[in-house]
PDB file of all heavy atoms in Angstrom:
ATOM      1  N   THR D   1      51.073  62.852 -18.626  1.00  0.00           N
ATOM      2  CA  THR D   1      51.487  62.334 -19.929  1.00  0.00           C
ATOM      3  C   THR D   1      52.801  61.580 -19.788  1.00  0.00           C
ATOM      4  O   THR D   1      53.765  62.095 -19.253  1.00  0.00           O
ATOM      5  CB  THR D   1      51.653  63.471 -20.951  1.00  0.00           C
ATOM      6  OG1 THR D   1      50.427  64.164 -21.090  1.00  0.00           O
ATOM      7  CG2 THR D   1      52.066  62.913 -22.307  1.00  0.00           C
ATOM      8  N   VAL D   2      52.801  60.337 -20.251  1.00  0.00           N
ATOM      9  CA  VAL D   2      54.012  59.515 -20.275  1.00  0.00           C
ATOM     10  C   VAL D   2      54.308  59.209 -21.739  1.00  0.00           C
ATOM     11  O   VAL D   2      53.476  58.657 -22.441  1.00  0.00           O
ATOM     12  CB  VAL D   2      53.848  58.205 -19.482  1.00  0.00           C
ATOM     13  CG1 VAL D   2      55.104  57.376 -19.562  1.00  0.00           C
ATOM     14  CG2 VAL D   2      53.488  58.510 -18.015  1.00  0.00           C
ATOM     15  N   VAL D   3      55.454  59.609 -22.213  1.00  0.00           N
ATOM     16  CA  VAL D   3      55.763  59.458 -23.639  1.00  0.00           C
ATOM     17  C   VAL D   3      56.609  58.227 -23.921  1.00  0.00           C
ATOM     18  O   VAL D   3      56.967  57.948 -25.059  1.00  0.00           O
ATOM     19  CB  VAL D   3      56.500  60.709 -24.181  1.00  0.00           C
ATOM     20  CG1 VAL D   3      55.576  61.900 -24.124  1.00  0.00           C
ATOM     21  CG2 VAL D   3      57.785  60.993 -23.404  1.00  0.00           C
ATOM     22  N   ASP D   4      56.926  57.457 -22.890  1.00  0.00           N
ATOM     23  CA  ASP D   4      57.710  56.240 -23.091  1.00  0.00           C
ATOM     24  C   ASP D   4      56.975  55.044 -22.539  1.00  0.00           C
ATOM     25  O   ASP D   4      55.845  54.791 -22.923  1.00  0.00           O
ATOM     26  CB  ASP D   4      59.094  56.401 -22.452  1.00  0.00           C
ATOM     27  CG  ASP D   4      60.106  55.413 -23.018  1.00  0.00           C
ATOM     28  OD1 ASP D   4      59.682  54.444 -23.684  1.00  0.00           O
ATOM     29  OD2 ASP D   4      61.317  55.574 -22.776  1.00  0.00           O
ATOM     30  N   GLU D   5      57.478  54.322 -21.593  1.00  0.00           N
ATOM     31  CA  GLU D   5      56.937  53.057 -21.127  1.00  0.00           C
ATOM     32  C   GLU D   5      56.485  53.176 -19.679  1.00  0.00           C
ATOM     33  O   GLU D   5      57.154  53.757 -18.842  1.00  0.00           O
ATOM     34  CB  GLU D   5      58.002  51.964 -21.242  1.00  0.00           C
ATOM     35  CG  GLU D   5      57.508  50.606 -20.829  1.00  0.00           C
ATOM     36  CD  GLU D   5      58.580  49.519 -21.014  1.00  0.00           C
ATOM     37  OE1 GLU D   5      59.763  49.886 -21.163  1.00  0.00           O
ATOM     38  OE2 GLU D   5      58.230  48.334 -21.021  1.00  0.00           O
ATOM     39  N   VAL D   6      55.275  52.630 -19.413  1.00  0.00           N
ATOM     40  CA  VAL D   6      54.770  52.551 -18.051  1.00  0.00           C
ATOM     41  C   VAL D   6      54.721  51.086 -17.640  1.00  0.00           C
ATOM     42  O   VAL D   6      54.130  50.262 -18.357  1.00  0.00           O
ATOM     43  CB  VAL D   6      53.354  53.161 -17.928  1.00  0.00           C
ATOM     44  CG1 VAL D   6      52.807  52.958 -16.531  1.00  0.00           C
ATOM     45  CG2 VAL D   6      53.390  54.655 -18.259  1.00  0.00           C
ATOM     46  N   LYS D   7      55.300  50.715 -16.525  1.00  0.00           N
ATOM     47  CA  LYS D   7      55.282  49.357 -16.032  1.00  0.00           C
ATOM     48  C   LYS D   7      54.528  49.321 -14.703  1.00  0.00           C
ATOM     49  O   LYS D   7      54.845  50.065 -13.784  1.00  0.00           O
ATOM     50  CB  LYS D   7      56.703  48.823 -15.835  1.00  0.00           C
ATOM     51  CG  LYS D   7      57.462  48.606 -17.139  1.00  0.00           C
ATOM     52  CD  LYS D   7      58.820  47.967 -16.892  1.00  0.00           C
ATOM     53  CE  LYS D   7      59.559  47.686 -18.191  1.00  0.00           C
ATOM     54  NZ  LYS D   7      60.878  47.052 -17.964  1.00  0.00           N
ATOM     55  N   THR D   8      53.511  48.453 -14.628  1.00  0.00           N
ATOM     56  CA  THR D   8      52.727  48.316 -13.406  1.00  0.00           C
ATOM     57  C   THR D   8      52.100  46.929 -13.357  1.00  0.00           C
ATOM     58  O   THR D   8      51.901  46.316 -14.409  1.00  0.00           O
ATOM     59  CB  THR D   8      51.633  49.386 -13.315  1.00  0.00           C
ATOM     60  OG1 THR D   8      50.893  49.221 -12.097  1.00  0.00           O
ATOM     61  CG2 THR D   8      50.669  49.284 -14.501  1.00  0.00           C
ATOM     62  N   ASN D   9      51.788  46.445 -12.184  1.00  0.00           N
ATOM     63  CA  ASN D   9      51.173  45.137 -12.040  1.00  0.00           C
ATOM     64  C   ASN D   9      49.648  45.195 -12.077  1.00  0.00           C
ATOM     65  O   ASN D   9      48.972  44.183 -12.249  1.00  0.00           O
ATOM     66  CB  ASN D   9      51.618  44.462 -10.749  1.00  0.00           C
ATOM     67  CG  ASN D   9      53.091  44.074 -10.781  1.00  0.00           C
ATOM     68  OD1 ASN D   9      53.600  43.681 -11.829  1.00  0.00           O
ATOM     69  ND2 ASN D   9      53.766  44.206  -9.648  1.00  0.00           N
ATOM     70  N   LYS D  10      49.073  46.400 -11.922  1.00  0.00           N
ATOM     71  CA  LYS D  10      47.634  46.483 -11.887  1.00  0.00           C
ATOM     72  C   LYS D  10      47.182  47.916 -12.159  1.00  0.00           C
ATOM     73  O   LYS D  10      47.808  48.864 -11.681  1.00  0.00           O
ATOM     74  CB  LYS D  10      47.095  46.034 -10.516  1.00  0.00           C
ATOM     75  CG  LYS D  10      45.584  46.025 -10.398  1.00  0.00           C
ATOM     76  CD  LYS D  10      45.149  45.525  -9.012  1.00  0.00           C
ATOM     77  CE  LYS D  10      43.638  45.506  -8.911  1.00  0.00           C
ATOM     78  NZ  LYS D  10      43.185  45.056  -7.548  1.00  0.00           N
ATOM     79  N   ILE D  11      46.118  48.051 -12.936  1.00  0.00           N
ATOM     80  CA  ILE D  11      45.483  49.350 -13.150  1.00  0.00           C
ATOM     81  C   ILE D  11      44.031  49.223 -12.727  1.00  0.00           C
ATOM     82  O   ILE D  11      43.308  48.342 -13.182  1.00  0.00           O
ATOM     83  CB  ILE D  11      45.544  49.788 -14.631  1.00  0.00           C
ATOM     84  CG1 ILE D  11      47.010  49.886 -15.092  1.00  0.00           C
ATOM     85  CG2 ILE D  11      44.828  51.089 -14.847  1.00  0.00           C
ATOM     86  CD1 ILE D  11      47.156  50.222 -16.554  1.00  0.00           C
ATOM     87  N   SER D  12      43.588  50.093 -11.807  1.00  0.00           N
ATOM     88  CA  SER D  12      42.226  50.049 -11.326  1.00  0.00           C
ATOM     89  C   SER D  12      41.598  51.438 -11.486  1.00  0.00           C
ATOM     90  O   SER D  12      42.302  52.438 -11.541  1.00  0.00           O
ATOM     91  CB  SER D  12      42.171  49.648  -9.842  1.00  0.00           C
ATOM     92  OG  SER D  12      42.694  48.347  -9.675  1.00  0.00           O
ATOM     93  N   PRO D  13      40.255  51.524 -11.587  1.00  0.00           N
ATOM     94  CA  PRO D  13      39.608  52.832 -11.686  1.00  0.00           C
ATOM     95  C   PRO D  13      39.778  53.613 -10.396  1.00  0.00           C
ATOM     96  O   PRO D  13      39.795  53.040  -9.287  1.00  0.00           O
ATOM     97  CB  PRO D  13      38.132  52.480 -11.947  1.00  0.00           C
ATOM     98  CG  PRO D  13      37.964  51.081 -11.420  1.00  0.00           C
ATOM     99  CD  PRO D  13      39.272  50.416 -11.624  1.00  0.00           C
ATOM    100  N   ALA D  14      39.878  54.941 -10.494  1.00  0.00           N
ATOM    101  CA  ALA D  14      40.034  55.792  -9.319  1.00  0.00           C
ATOM    102  C   ALA D  14      38.771  55.752  -8.463  1.00  0.00           C
ATOM    103  O   ALA D  14      38.852  55.772  -7.223  1.00  0.00           O
ATOM    104  CB  ALA D  14      40.350  57.234  -9.744  1.00  0.00           C
ATOM    105  N   THR D  15      37.607  55.722  -9.094  1.00  0.00           N
ATOM    106  CA  THR D  15      36.338  55.620  -8.380  1.00  0.00           C
ATOM    107  C   THR D  15      35.429  54.641  -9.117  1.00  0.00           C
ATOM    108  O   THR D  15      35.551  54.459 -10.318  1.00  0.00           O
ATOM    109  CB  THR D  15      35.627  56.990  -8.313  1.00  0.00           C
ATOM    110  OG1 THR D  15      35.404  57.474  -9.628  1.00  0.00           O
ATOM    111  CG2 THR D  15      36.477  58.011  -7.545  1.00  0.00           C
ATOM    112  N   GLY D  16      34.502  54.027  -8.380  1.00  0.00           N
ATOM    113  CA  GLY D  16      33.574  53.098  -9.009  1.00  0.00           C
ATOM    114  C   GLY D  16      34.250  51.854  -9.521  1.00  0.00           C
ATOM    115  O   GLY D  16      35.299  51.436  -9.053  1.00  0.00           O
ATOM    116  N   VAL D  17      33.629  51.247 -10.571  1.00  0.00           N
ATOM    117  CA  VAL D  17      34.152  49.986 -11.103  1.00  0.00           C
ATOM    118  C   VAL D  17      34.398  50.055 -12.611  1.00  0.00           C
ATOM    119  O   VAL D  17      34.722  49.054 -13.225  1.00  0.00           O
ATOM    120  CB  VAL D  17      33.181  48.820 -10.805  1.00  0.00           C
ATOM    121  CG1 VAL D  17      33.061  48.591  -9.309  1.00  0.00           C
ATOM    122  CG2 VAL D  17      31.786  49.109 -11.371  1.00  0.00           C
ATOM    123  N   ALA D  18      34.223  51.234 -13.206  1.00  0.00           N
ATOM    124  CA  ALA D  18      34.420  51.377 -14.637  1.00  0.00           C
ATOM    125  C   ALA D  18      35.770  51.995 -14.944  1.00  0.00           C
ATOM    126  O   ALA D  18      36.184  52.952 -14.292  1.00  0.00           O
ATOM    127  CB  ALA D  18      33.301  52.234 -15.244  1.00  0.00           C
ATOM    128  N   PHE D  19      36.443  51.441 -15.931  1.00  0.00           N
ATOM    129  CA  PHE D  19      37.779  51.923 -16.303  1.00  0.00           C
ATOM    130  C   PHE D  19      37.801  52.106 -17.820  1.00  0.00           C
ATOM    131  O   PHE D  19      37.456  51.212 -18.581  1.00  0.00           O
ATOM    132  CB  PHE D  19      38.842  50.906 -15.864  1.00  0.00           C
ATOM    133  CG  PHE D  19      40.230  51.253 -16.318  1.00  0.00           C
ATOM    134  CD1 PHE D  19      40.932  52.287 -15.728  1.00  0.00           C
ATOM    135  CD2 PHE D  19      40.826  50.515 -17.336  1.00  0.00           C
ATOM    136  CE1 PHE D  19      42.211  52.595 -16.146  1.00  0.00           C
ATOM    137  CE2 PHE D  19      42.113  50.824 -17.758  1.00  0.00           C
ATOM    138  CZ  PHE D  19      42.811  51.852 -17.160  1.00  0.00           C
ATOM    139  N   THR D  20      38.190  53.290 -18.267  1.00  0.00           N
ATOM    140  CA  THR D  20      38.270  53.599 -19.703  1.00  0.00           C
ATOM    141  C   THR D  20      39.728  53.643 -20.142  1.00  0.00           C
ATOM    142  O   THR D  20      40.545  54.314 -19.516  1.00  0.00           O
ATOM    143  CB  THR D  20      37.609  54.960 -20.020  1.00  0.00           C
ATOM    144  OG1 THR D  20      36.243  54.902 -19.624  1.00  0.00           O
ATOM    145  CG2 THR D  20      37.683  55.251 -21.514  1.00  0.00           C
ATOM    146  N   LEU D  21      40.010  52.903 -21.210  1.00  0.00           N
ATOM    147  CA  LEU D  21      41.378  52.878 -21.732  1.00  0.00           C
ATOM    148  C   LEU D  21      41.407  53.633 -23.056  1.00  0.00           C
ATOM    149  O   LEU D  21      40.847  53.180 -24.051  1.00  0.00           O
ATOM    150  CB  LEU D  21      41.820  51.426 -21.931  1.00  0.00           C
ATOM    151  CG  LEU D  21      43.265  51.172 -22.367  1.00  0.00           C
ATOM    152  CD1 LEU D  21      44.232  51.645 -21.292  1.00  0.00           C
ATOM    153  CD2 LEU D  21      43.470  49.689 -22.663  1.00  0.00           C
ATOM    154  N   GLY D  22      42.034  54.792 -23.055  1.00  0.00           N
ATOM    155  CA  GLY D  22      42.155  55.556 -24.281  1.00  0.00           C
ATOM    156  C   GLY D  22      40.898  56.313 -24.654  1.00  0.00           C
ATOM    157  O   GLY D  22      39.888  56.343 -23.928  1.00  0.00           O
ATOM    158  N   ASP D  23      40.947  56.950 -25.831  1.00  0.00           N
ATOM    159  CA  ASP D  23      39.841  57.732 -26.350  1.00  0.00           C
ATOM    160  C   ASP D  23      39.417  57.195 -27.714  1.00  0.00           C
ATOM    161  O   ASP D  23      40.150  56.423 -28.343  1.00  0.00           O
ATOM    162  CB  ASP D  23      40.230  59.212 -26.483  1.00  0.00           C
ATOM    163  CG  ASP D  23      40.535  59.862 -25.146  1.00  0.00           C
ATOM    164  OD1 ASP D  23      39.667  59.773 -24.252  1.00  0.00           O
ATOM    165  OD2 ASP D  23      41.632  60.427 -24.984  1.00  0.00           O
ATOM    166  N   SER D  24      38.241  57.623 -28.165  1.00  0.00           N
ATOM    167  CA  SER D  24      37.741  57.207 -29.468  1.00  0.00           C
ATOM    168  C   SER D  24      38.777  57.535 -30.554  1.00  0.00           C
ATOM    169  O   SER D  24      39.308  58.621 -30.603  1.00  0.00           O
ATOM    170  CB  SER D  24      36.426  57.929 -29.782  1.00  0.00           C
ATOM    171  OG  SER D  24      35.982  57.622 -31.067  1.00  0.00           O
ATOM    172  N   GLY D  25      39.053  56.538 -31.399  1.00  0.00           N
ATOM    173  CA  GLY D  25      40.038  56.727 -32.458  1.00  0.00           C
ATOM    174  C   GLY D  25      41.427  56.234 -32.107  1.00  0.00           C
ATOM    175  O   GLY D  25      42.262  56.104 -32.994  1.00  0.00           O
ATOM    176  N   ASP D  26      41.669  55.956 -30.815  1.00  0.00           N
ATOM    177  CA  ASP D  26      42.965  55.433 -30.402  1.00  0.00           C
ATOM    178  C   ASP D  26      43.140  53.986 -30.862  1.00  0.00           C
ATOM    179  O   ASP D  26      42.162  53.264 -31.024  1.00  0.00           O
ATOM    180  CB  ASP D  26      43.137  55.499 -28.895  1.00  0.00           C
ATOM    181  CG  ASP D  26      43.276  56.940 -28.373  1.00  0.00           C
ATOM    182  OD1 ASP D  26      43.452  57.824 -29.212  1.00  0.00           O
ATOM    183  OD2 ASP D  26      43.202  57.123 -27.156  1.00  0.00           O
ATOM    184  N   THR D  27      44.368  53.570 -31.042  1.00  0.00           N
ATOM    185  CA  THR D  27      44.690  52.197 -31.409  1.00  0.00           C
ATOM    186  C   THR D  27      45.647  51.617 -30.371  1.00  0.00           C
ATOM    187  O   THR D  27      46.670  52.245 -30.046  1.00  0.00           O
ATOM    188  CB  THR D  27      45.339  52.110 -32.786  1.00  0.00           C
ATOM    189  OG1 THR D  27      44.419  52.599 -33.769  1.00  0.00           O
ATOM    190  CG2 THR D  27      45.700  50.671 -33.153  1.00  0.00           C
ATOM    191  N   PHE D  28      45.320  50.421 -29.860  1.00  0.00           N
ATOM    192  CA  PHE D  28      46.197  49.748 -28.917  1.00  0.00           C
ATOM    193  C   PHE D  28      46.704  48.476 -29.577  1.00  0.00           C
ATOM    194  O   PHE D  28      45.942  47.686 -30.101  1.00  0.00           O
ATOM    195  CB  PHE D  28      45.445  49.427 -27.619  1.00  0.00           C
ATOM    196  CG  PHE D  28      45.022  50.642 -26.861  1.00  0.00           C
ATOM    197  CD1 PHE D  28      43.790  51.244 -27.116  1.00  0.00           C
ATOM    198  CD2 PHE D  28      45.860  51.234 -25.931  1.00  0.00           C
ATOM    199  CE1 PHE D  28      43.406  52.384 -26.450  1.00  0.00           C
ATOM    200  CE2 PHE D  28      45.488  52.368 -25.240  1.00  0.00           C
ATOM    201  CZ  PHE D  28      44.238  52.943 -25.497  1.00  0.00           C
ATOM    202  N   THR D  29      48.005  48.295 -29.564  1.00  0.00           N
ATOM    203  CA  THR D  29      48.629  47.176 -30.253  1.00  0.00           C
ATOM    204  C   THR D  29      49.211  46.171 -29.275  1.00  0.00           C
ATOM    205  O   THR D  29      49.929  46.547 -28.333  1.00  0.00           O
ATOM    206  CB  THR D  29      49.763  47.683 -31.173  1.00  0.00           C
ATOM    207  OG1 THR D  29      49.211  48.617 -32.123  1.00  0.00           O
ATOM    208  CG2 THR D  29      50.415  46.537 -31.924  1.00  0.00           C
ATOM    209  N   VAL D  30      48.867  44.897 -29.469  1.00  0.00           N
ATOM    210  CA  VAL D  30      49.477  43.822 -28.698  1.00  0.00           C
ATOM    211  C   VAL D  30      50.583  43.228 -29.565  1.00  0.00           C
ATOM    212  O   VAL D  30      50.300  42.664 -30.615  1.00  0.00           O
ATOM    213  CB  VAL D  30      48.449  42.725 -28.337  1.00  0.00           C
ATOM    214  CG1 VAL D  30      49.115  41.620 -27.562  1.00  0.00           C
ATOM    215  CG2 VAL D  30      47.283  43.316 -27.552  1.00  0.00           C
ATOM    216  N   PRO D  31      51.829  43.374 -29.176  1.00  0.00           N
ATOM    217  CA  PRO D  31      52.938  42.947 -30.041  1.00  0.00           C
ATOM    218  C   PRO D  31      53.003  41.438 -30.179  1.00  0.00           C
ATOM    219  O   PRO D  31      52.461  40.699 -29.362  1.00  0.00           O
ATOM    220  CB  PRO D  31      54.177  43.510 -29.326  1.00  0.00           C
ATOM    221  CG  PRO D  31      53.794  43.619 -27.898  1.00  0.00           C
ATOM    222  CD  PRO D  31      52.316  43.973 -27.908  1.00  0.00           C
ATOM    223  N   SER D  32      53.657  40.996 -31.221  1.00  0.00           N
ATOM    224  CA  SER D  32      53.849  39.556 -31.469  1.00  0.00           C
ATOM    225  C   SER D  32      54.558  38.916 -30.286  1.00  0.00           C
ATOM    226  O   SER D  32      55.529  39.456 -29.772  1.00  0.00           O
ATOM    227  CB  SER D  32      54.686  39.362 -32.741  1.00  0.00           C
ATOM    228  OG  SER D  32      54.972  38.013 -32.943  1.00  0.00           O
ATOM    229  N   GLY D  33      54.024  37.784 -29.845  1.00  0.00           N
ATOM    230  CA  GLY D  33      54.618  37.081 -28.709  1.00  0.00           C
ATOM    231  C   GLY D  33      53.957  37.402 -27.391  1.00  0.00           C
ATOM    232  O   GLY D  33      54.144  36.680 -26.402  1.00  0.00           O
ATOM    233  N   ALA D  34      53.161  38.491 -27.329  1.00  0.00           N
ATOM    234  CA  ALA D  34      52.453  38.846 -26.111  1.00  0.00           C
ATOM    235  C   ALA D  34      51.093  38.156 -26.103  1.00  0.00           C
ATOM    236  O   ALA D  34      50.529  37.823 -27.140  1.00  0.00           O
ATOM    237  CB  ALA D  34      52.290  40.355 -26.007  1.00  0.00           C
ATOM    238  N   THR D  35      50.518  37.955 -24.932  1.00  0.00           N
ATOM    239  CA  THR D  35      49.231  37.257 -24.776  1.00  0.00           C
ATOM    240  C   THR D  35      48.313  38.059 -23.876  1.00  0.00           C
ATOM    241  O   THR D  35      48.747  38.562 -22.827  1.00  0.00           O
ATOM    242  CB  THR D  35      49.440  35.863 -24.160  1.00  0.00           C
ATOM    243  OG1 THR D  35      50.306  35.104 -25.005  1.00  0.00           O
ATOM    244  CG2 THR D  35      48.114  35.125 -24.013  1.00  0.00           C
ATOM    245  N   ILE D  36      47.045  38.183 -24.291  1.00  0.00           N
ATOM    246  CA  ILE D  36      46.026  38.758 -23.418  1.00  0.00           C
ATOM    247  C   ILE D  36      45.164  37.639 -22.911  1.00  0.00           C
ATOM    248  O   ILE D  36      44.600  36.871 -23.675  1.00  0.00           O
ATOM    249  CB  ILE D  36      45.152  39.789 -24.188  1.00  0.00           C
ATOM    250  CG1 ILE D  36      45.996  40.984 -24.612  1.00  0.00           C
ATOM    251  CG2 ILE D  36      43.982  40.235 -23.333  1.00  0.00           C
ATOM    252  CD1 ILE D  36      45.208  42.017 -25.394  1.00  0.00           C
ATOM    253  N   THR D  37      45.040  37.516 -21.580  1.00  0.00           N
ATOM    254  CA  THR D  37      44.252  36.462 -20.969  1.00  0.00           C
ATOM    255  C   THR D  37      43.001  37.065 -20.341  1.00  0.00           C
ATOM    256  O   THR D  37      43.094  37.994 -19.541  1.00  0.00           O
ATOM    257  CB  THR D  37      45.055  35.730 -19.877  1.00  0.00           C
ATOM    258  OG1 THR D  37      46.225  35.157 -20.463  1.00  0.00           O
ATOM    259  CG2 THR D  37      44.227  34.625 -19.246  1.00  0.00           C
ATOM    260  N   ASN D  38      41.817  36.561 -20.729  1.00  0.00           N
ATOM    261  CA  ASN D  38      40.561  37.036 -20.174  1.00  0.00           C
ATOM    262  C   ASN D  38      39.998  35.974 -19.241  1.00  0.00           C
ATOM    263  O   ASN D  38      39.684  34.864 -19.664  1.00  0.00           O
ATOM    264  CB  ASN D  38      39.574  37.325 -21.318  1.00  0.00           C
ATOM    265  CG  ASN D  38      38.189  37.664 -20.769  1.00  0.00           C
ATOM    266  OD1 ASN D  38      38.082  38.379 -19.781  1.00  0.00           O
ATOM    267  ND2 ASN D  38      37.152  37.147 -21.399  1.00  0.00           N
ATOM    268  N   SER D  39      39.858  36.332 -17.950  1.00  0.00           N
ATOM    269  CA  SER D  39      39.290  35.393 -16.977  1.00  0.00           C
ATOM    270  C   SER D  39      37.857  35.741 -16.644  1.00  0.00           C
ATOM    271  O   SER D  39      37.239  35.078 -15.817  1.00  0.00           O
ATOM    272  CB  SER D  39      40.131  35.411 -15.685  1.00  0.00           C
ATOM    273  OG  SER D  39      41.459  35.018 -15.968  1.00  0.00           O
ATOM    274  N   GLY D  40      37.339  36.795 -17.288  1.00  0.00           N
ATOM    275  CA  GLY D  40      35.958  37.198 -17.050  1.00  0.00           C
ATOM    276  C   GLY D  40      35.114  36.975 -18.284  1.00  0.00           C
ATOM    277  O   GLY D  40      35.270  35.989 -18.999  1.00  0.00           O
ATOM    278  N   THR D  41      34.198  37.905 -18.563  1.00  0.00           N
ATOM    279  CA  THR D  41      33.334  37.831 -19.739  1.00  0.00           C
ATOM    280  C   THR D  41      33.672  38.984 -20.675  1.00  0.00           C
ATOM    281  O   THR D  41      33.615  40.142 -20.272  1.00  0.00           O
ATOM    282  CB  THR D  41      31.861  37.924 -19.333  1.00  0.00           C
ATOM    283  OG1 THR D  41      31.557  36.838 -18.459  1.00  0.00           O
ATOM    284  CG2 THR D  41      30.963  37.851 -20.559  1.00  0.00           C
TER     285      THR D  41
END
Protein backbone atom coordinates (compact mmCIF):
# COMPACT_ATOMS: atom_id res chain seq x y z
CA THR A 1 0.00 0.00 0.00
CA VAL A 2 1.30 3.41 -1.04
CA VAL A 3 -0.69 6.31 0.39
CA ASP A 4 1.13 9.08 -1.45
CA GLU A 5 2.81 9.22 -4.89
CA VAL A 6 4.41 6.48 -6.97
CA LYS A 7 6.77 7.52 -9.77
CA THR A 8 7.85 4.99 -12.41
CA ASN A 9 8.59 4.89 -16.12
CA LYS A 10 6.79 1.62 -16.78
CA ILE A 11 4.29 -0.76 -15.21
CA SER A 12 4.13 -4.31 -16.58
CA PRO A 13 2.18 -7.42 -15.48
CA ALA A 14 4.07 -9.80 -13.19
CA THR A 15 3.03 -12.77 -15.35
CA GLY A 16 1.39 -13.09 -18.76
CA VAL A 17 0.27 -10.05 -20.73
CA ALA A 18 -2.80 -8.87 -18.79
CA PHE A 19 -2.59 -5.99 -16.34
CA THR A 20 -5.45 -4.86 -14.06
CA LEU A 21 -5.53 -1.32 -12.75
CA GLY A 22 -7.63 -0.93 -9.62
CA ASP A 23 -10.83 -2.68 -8.58
CA SER A 24 -14.49 -2.37 -9.51
CA GLY A 25 -15.84 0.94 -8.23
CA ASP A 26 -12.46 2.68 -8.22
CA THR A 27 -12.06 6.06 -9.92
CA PHE A 28 -8.89 7.18 -11.68
CA THR A 29 -8.50 10.89 -12.39
CA VAL A 30 -6.35 12.46 -15.09
CA PRO A 31 -5.66 16.00 -13.85
CA SER A 32 -6.02 19.10 -16.00
CA GLY A 33 -2.98 19.59 -18.21
CA ALA A 34 -2.06 15.89 -18.27
CA THR A 35 -2.35 13.81 -21.47
CA ILE A 36 -2.99 10.11 -22.05
CA THR A 37 -1.51 8.86 -25.33
CA ASN A 38 -2.76 5.60 -26.83
CA SER A 39 -0.47 4.00 -29.43
CA GLY A 40 -2.42 0.76 -29.57
CA THR A 41 -6.11 -0.11 -29.86
